[in-house]
């Protein structure tokens, strides 16, 4: 199995973009992640927000935030897909620092262990 890293992605969409086109593009990204042994950890629509500065005569954009595990070799393809799409105003993909990745992995393990412990204790009570 390839070494998965945790990445964060923020995408700014043009306000005039149709919701169906935005959903289709995000689904394409999600499918690419799943197809390449990745895992989508978090997906949030932050909605319409004012830009810090004007980009292509736009003052507002629709923000999306994604967090996923993915092999490093596939990140370039995600970047390429976002670059060629006309509804994307800006995007940025950032790899989480290794220390945060280790913390996320250990928190996930602790959460899984506590869930297993809850199941065992429920069985004992009955």
């Amino acid at each position: 199995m390839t070494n998965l890293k945790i990445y964060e992605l923020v995408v700014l969409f043009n306000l005039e973009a149709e919701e169906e086109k935005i959903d289709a593009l995000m689904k394409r990204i999600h499918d690419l992640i799943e197809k390449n042994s990745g895992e989508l950890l978090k997906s949030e629509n932050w909605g319409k927000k004012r830009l810090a500065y004007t980009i292509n005569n736009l003052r507002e954009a629709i923000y999306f935030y994604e967090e996923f595990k993915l092999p490093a070799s596939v990140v370039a393809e995600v970047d390429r897909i976002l670059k060629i799409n006309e509804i994307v105003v800006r995007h940025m993909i950032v790899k989480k620092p290794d220390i945060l990745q280790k913390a996320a992995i250990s928190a996930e393990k602790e959460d899984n262990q506590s869930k297993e412990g809850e199941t065992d204790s429920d069985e004992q009570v009955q």
Side-chain angles (χ1 to χ4, degrees), residues 81-112:
I81 290 170
L82 293 168
K83 279 182 181 176
I84 64 172
N85 203 298
E86 70 276 354
I87 64 172
V88 176
V89 176
R90 289 280 194 279
H91 74 280
M92 183 170 60
I93 303 173
V94 178
K95 184 182 85 151
K96 279 197 165 181
D98 289 336
I99 192 157
L100 293 177
Q101 292 196 38
K102 289 176 185 174
I105 291 169
S106 64
E108 186 177 306
K109 285 180 183 177
E110 288 177 14
D111 188 43
N112 289 340

Side-chain angles (χ1 to χ4, degrees), residues 11 13 19 45 96:
V11 184
F13 290 103
E19 189 174 335
N45 179 346
K96 279 197 165 181

